[in-house]
Amino acid sequence: RMESLPDTVLIQILASVPAVELVLVCRLVCCQWRNLVDGAALWVLKCQQEGLTGAEAEEDAENWQNFYFLSKKRKNLIKNPCGEEGLEHWREVENGGDGWKIEELPGDFGKEFPSEEVHKYFVTSYEWCRKAQVIDLRAEGYWEELMDTTQPKIVVRDWYAGRSDAGCLYELCVKLLSESEDVLAEHKSETVTIPEGNDGSWTEISHTFSNYGPGVRFVHFEHGGQDTLFWKGWYGVRVTSSSVTVEP
């Protein structure tokens, strides 16, 4: 009989069950099973079995269940980050000059990207070009209690570069929004000025939101720029490989 098994044996058995079923089905079987599913030992074992342990897990020992789910779900929530699908999934907030364009790396007077997996970038024109995405955290599987209580880190990254024969400007603005789209937290970069005669290399910019309080339901990501010479065409800042991840 299962209830006569010691906890250590039951944990070994339960660790082979898919995580979602543990929470939605096994937890409801009896008090003993509920206590095991709510405890750390089962999730520590699942993390070890799937190679999810590490220094970051040690800091989060109080809630290994959330650590497990967040580690498994870690993915880029920005869709079409490198322009492989044109401007699909992006809302063009501002389309100045000749508007946004997608080009193949490295581009004229440009440098290759640090990752071989990135093949394209978006490029701006001679007046401000901005584009945005809004990420619905619940639709991506991050439930309300997790966002309100655990408040996992929300890590934002973007890459930008100029052409070596033209100067340009770049800006990034990311907001965490409530259900009614009130701004609960915001990160706005300075306006980055890349001078004419730069080396065309790519620069990463990043920001981590933490302890942002309850109520976050959406992430509004917006970036853009322009050239500083006002040349017709696409001599402004280049952007690619944007990412938003929810991390343990």
Side-chain angles (χ1 to χ4, degrees):
R1 290 161 59 85
M2 291 287 274
E3 58 265 33
S4 64
L5 291 172
D7 284 0
T8 49
V9 176
L10 258 177
I11 285 171
Q12 292 286 342
I13 295 167
L14 289 172
S16 64
V17 176
V20 174
E21 288 180 30
L22 285 174
V23 174
L24 298 181
V25 181
C26 298
R27 193 176 175 278
L28 307 180
V29 170
C30 63
C31 289
Q32 183 191 18
W33 284 33
R34 185 183 68 214
N35 291 338
L36 292 178
V37 172
D38 289 348
L42 171 60
W43 298 98
V44 170
L45 180 58
K46 282 191 77 66
C47 286
Q48 288 170 345
Q49 287 176 344
E50 299 183 38
L52 300 177
T53 51
E56 54 193 0
E58 306 307 322
E59 296 168 15
D60 202 11
E62 291 170 23
N63 206 329
W64 281 83
Q65 185 185 126
N66 282 345
F67 175 81
Y68 177 88
F69 278 105
L70 287 168
S71 298
K72 294 291 282 187
K73 289 176 69 66
R74 193 183 305 192
K75 62 177 180 177
N76 186 4
L77 301 176
I78 293 281
K79 296 177 171 64
N80 185 28
C82 306
E84 296 290 348
E85 302 169 68
L87 282 161
E88 186 78 20
H89 304 296
W90 291 97
R91 181 167 60 87
E92 293 172 71
V93 179
E94 213 169 327
N95 218 6
D98 289 319
W100 285 97
K101 187 185 180 190
I102 290 121
E103 294 179 347
E104 298 270 346
L105 278 156
D108 294 339
F109 295 91
K111 289 268 180 74
E112 285 292 355
F113 191 74
S115 165
E116 291 179 6
E117 295 169 12
V118 179
H119 306 290
K120 295 183 178 182
Y121 58 82
F122 303 91
V123 58
T124 59
S125 191
Y126 58 87
E127 288 174 355
W128 272 99
C129 298
R130 302 179 203 269
K131 60 186 177 66
Q133 272 189 44
V134 177
I135 296 160
D136 181 338
L137 292 167
R138 274 178 307 195
E140 296 290 348
Y142 300 98
W143 58 99
E144 293 179 7
E145 186 186 359
L146 176 76
M147 297 309 302
D148 294 348
T149 306
T150 304
Q151 294 176 34
K153 290 183 294 215
I154 299 174
V155 182
V156 179
R157 295 184 179 88
D158 200 19
W159 287 84
Y160 64 87
R163 292 170 59 115
S164 58
D165 64 340
C168 60
L169 305 175
Y170 165 83
E171 282 182 6
L172 170 70
C173 180
V174 185
K175 300 173 184 175
L176 306 186
L177 306 177
S178 70
E179 182 74 51
S180 54
E181 301 194 4
D182 297 320
V183 178
L184 302 180
E186 180 176 8
H187 172 72
K188 198 173 193 304
S189 73
E190 297 172 18
T191 302
V192 178
T193 303
I194 302 173
E196 192 177 351
N198 69 87
D199 66 0
S201 61
W202 288 91
T203 300
E204 184 183 33
I205 185 172
S206 69
H207 178 75
T208 299
F209 290 98
S210 56
N211 302 317
Y212 39 76
V216 172
R217 300 293 177 262
F218 302 96
V219 180
H220 183 280
F221 178 102
E222 183 176 312
H223 63 178
Q226 67 170 92
D227 80 15
T228 50
L229 300 171
F230 304 98
W231 288 349
K232 185 165 176 56
W234 295 274
Y235 294 85
V237 75
R238 300 164 169 185
V239 293
T240 195
S241 202
S242 312
S243 70
V244 172
T245 52
V246 179
E247 303 189 3

